[in-house]
Amino acid sequence: MENDWIECTLGDVLTLQRGFDLPESKRKLGPYPVIASTGQVGYHKDAMVKGPGVVIGRSGSIGGGQYILSNFWPLNTTLWVKDFKGNDKRFCYYLLKSLDFSKFNVGSGVPTLNRNHIHPLSVRIPRDITEQHAISSILGSLDDKIELNRRMDETLEAIARAIFKSWFVDFDPVRAKAEGREPAGMDAETAALFPDDFEETEMGIVPKGWRVGSFDETIELIGGGTPKTSNPEYWNGDIPWFSIVDSPRNGDVFVIDTEKKITKRGIEDSSARLLPRGTTIISARGTIGKCALVGVAMAMNQSCYGIRGKDNRGNYFTFFAVRNLVSELQRSTHGSVFDTITRETFIRVKSIIVPFKLTQMFDDKISSFMERIIMNLQESKNLIAIRDFLLPKLISGELKKDNNCRVAKEVI
């Protein structure tokens, strides 16, 4: 029924409170997340707010919303919900997430939100907390699955990274064979590709028979480009176009979508090239050293390089090798105004030249992990689209728990 929903102010639903100052120099590592306007920025030994709790951005990045399960420390760039006034906490999170606070910006330079200005904001909510809970459960089930996928991807990437480190940084299989042991976690065919001794090189000891050379020897560099922004025929197509803003966040590896898209004509009439799936992208100007793996074919701008393994070297191996060399690449930059990685940088940086058969074996070893990561990202992308479609309809009452919410659950 229509009167199941009531008109009230945001301040009737909840009370927002400014966060607490905690300079990075004063933080002491502990179990409690430190929450800024843009997300979690670290951990601290103490918490100021008992979870679960809700935070929005107050300064820098305003509005949005974060739902934190554990006890936490909200920084003074945030507003946190001090009092939920008997309402469902997660419903309050989605309510805040659905509101556009941009018109309440009171900052002359840095966007800033004043809680006293938004408390009088008119909102409409279910009178019955069970309906609030039904709405938050539907949206929450989507977010929980997205978070589960994120954690699974984090674990899978950590396994792949650990294998790379074991094989090509710590040389564990070589050490095992040198000591008369069978290398752990690999079949006989793979183990046979590792030598059983080391030799001294300019980079220290390396497996015998391997050598030190220019990193450029092992890779193919691909340049990027930007179609003319003044030509609408080049833009808003279906080909993802990568720039630094699209760099994976939260420890992600793959990029499967971008903020801007270009057309096939945009590629044909510019220096942009279509990068195949499995290409490594590295940011090369300004903010340098951001790495990503291409999860779907895409183009990129000229501030990046695409990198693929030369002579059939594994492309997953190439990604982890590039990421392992980021600090060396950053130390070898050029430029008087912006730090820049150039083709010369890749020539100057030295690396251990791993036999290409082993790089292929590494790719075979971790390919199932990496493919699962892409599948999870694609699934999460779809779930996010469903959540963003349902959020305004559920939070406004357009979808009711008795009829359409049942359909929404079937979609989930």
Side-chain angles (χ1 to χ4, degrees):
M1 296 175 61
E2 188 67 24
N3 61 7
D4 287 342
W5 287 65
I6 58 173
E7 297 280 351
C8 58
T9 68
L10 184 62
D12 293 329
V13 181
L14 52 84
T15 300
L16 289 162
Q17 178 70 44
R18 183 170 172 166
F20 308 92
D21 190 31
L22 183 64
E24 194 169 352
S25 60
K26 298 288 183 67
R27 297 174 201 170
K28 296 183 179 179
L29 189 61
Y32 304 111
V34 177
I35 307 298
S37 61
T38 54
Q40 183 175 326
V41 292
Y43 289 90
H44 187 54
K45 67 179 184 67
D46 298 315
M48 293 297 286
V49 180
K50 186 176 181 179
V54 177
V55 168
I56 62 173
R58 182 194 69 83
S59 177
S61 175
I62 63 174
Q66 300 174 62
Y67 185 70
I68 300 99
L69 289 171
S70 65
N71 297 349
F72 62 98
W73 186 299
L75 293 177
N76 63 359
T77 57
T78 70
L79 296 172
W80 60 281
V81 179
K82 183 178 182 180
D83 186 357
F84 291 92
K85 301 187 177 181
N87 293 294
D88 182 273
K89 292 183 177 182
R90 206 166 192 182
F91 172 84
C92 290
Y93 159 68
Y94 288 114
L95 175 64
L96 288 169
K97 195 174 180 66
S98 72
L99 298 174
D100 181 8
F101 293 115
S102 59
K103 63 184 177 181
F104 296 97
N105 176 22
V106 297
S108 57
V110 178
T112 305
L113 199 60
N114 187 317
R115 67 190 178 102
N116 295 321
H117 293 175
I118 61 176
H119 276 157
L121 182 64
S122 177
V123 296
R124 188 167 175 269
I125 67 167
R127 186 190 305 273
D128 187 351
I129 194 171
T130 60
E131 182 148 0
Q132 294 183 15
H133 181 67
I135 291 169
S136 67
S137 293
I138 291 169
L139 296 171
S141 65
L142 290 163
D143 277 334
D144 290 345
K145 176 56 177 170
I146 292 165
E147 174 62 14
L148 179 63
N149 284 348
R150 187 196 67 79
R151 291 184 181 182
M152 184 187 300
D153 289 352
E154 191 176 68
T155 299
L156 292 170
E157 187 277 331
I159 293 171
R161 178 164 26 95
I163 294 172
F164 178 88
K165 184 175 183 293
S166 174
W167 287 17
F168 307 118
V169 178
D170 297 333
F171 310 125
D172 290 333
V174 181
R175 297 184 189 280
K177 292 178 74 172
E179 295 170 5
R181 297 181 286 108
E182 290 296 324
M186 64 177 59
D187 57 37
E189 182 184 3
T190 305
L193 297 174
F194 288 91
D196 59 5
D197 202 356
F198 294 92
E199 59 187 1
E200 191 69 36
T201 71
E202 61 188 278
M203 291 183 65
I205 61 167
V206 302
K208 191 171 184 179
W210 299 10
R211 64 184 179 83
V212 172
S214 167
F215 188 55
D216 177 71
E217 293 180 44
T218 66
I219 58 173
E220 173 195 352
L221 287 179
I222 306 167
T226 303
K228 285 185 178 179
T229 56
S230 59
N231 191 333
E233 293 184 5
Y234 297 160
W235 296 92
N236 299 316
D238 57 3
I239 300 172
W241 183 77
F242 180 95
S243 66
I244 188 65
V245 298
D246 302 305
S247 297
R249 294 170 176 81
N250 302 320
D252 291 341
V253 173
F254 286 96
V255 58
I256 62 169
D257 201 6
T258 57
E259 186 177 288
K260 296 180 180 179
K261 308 286 196 305
I262 61 175
T263 63
K264 183 180 179 183
R265 177 82 179 273
I267 288 184
E268 291 171 348
D269 293 357
S270 73
S271 58
R273 294 175 58 184
L274 194 62
L275 304 175
R277 192 172 184 263
T279 302
T280 294
I281 294 179
I282 186 170
S283 58
R285 189 167 184 236
T287 302
I288 61 174
K290 294 280 189 180
C291 295
L293 262 171
V294 171
V296 296
M298 66 179 61
M300 65 181 179
N301 72 6
Q302 63 273 20
S303 295
C304 305
Y305 280 113
I307 306 174
R308 292 184 66 80
K310 189 183 291 184
D311 299 328
N312 293 319
R313 291 179 184 275
N315 283 310
Y316 291 146
F317 169 86
T318 298
F319 168 77
F320 285 101
V322 170
R323 202 162 67 170
N324 193 55
L325 286 172
V326 161
S327 58
E328 288 295 324
L329 292 167
Q330 289 171 333
R331 282 195 288 268
S332 300
T333 56
H334 306 270
S336 56
V337 179
F338 296 104
D339 287 337
T340 305
I341 294 174
T342 67
R343 292 178 181 272
E344 179 66 27
T345 306
F346 292 96
I347 295 172
R348 289 210 309 266
V349 168
K350 299 295 184 183
S351 70
I352 298 170
I353 309 300
V354 176
F356 79 89
K357 182 65 174 175
L358 257 180
T359 72
Q360 294 174 325
M361 285 293 194
F362 173 77
D363 272 35
D364 290 344
K365 177 80 173 179
I366 70 164
S367 62
S368 61
F369 304 148
M370 307 305 279
E371 291 301 316
R372 182 66 197 186
I373 291 174
I374 294 178
M375 289 174 58
N376 287 343
L377 286 172
Q378 293 284 8
E379 181 183 51
S380 291
K381 179 183 175 182
N382 294 335
L383 292 173
I384 289 169
I386 295 170
R387 181 202 64 197
D388 291 349
F389 171 78
L390 290 176
L391 175 58
K393 295 181 180 298
L394 288 168
I395 215 71
S396 67
E398 183 180 341
L399 287 176
K400 298 296 197 303
K401 69 175 182 179
D402 52 349
N403 293 316
N404 292 330
C405 282
R406 192 177 301 115
V407 175
K409 286 181 179 179
E410 290 175 2
V411 171
I412 296 168

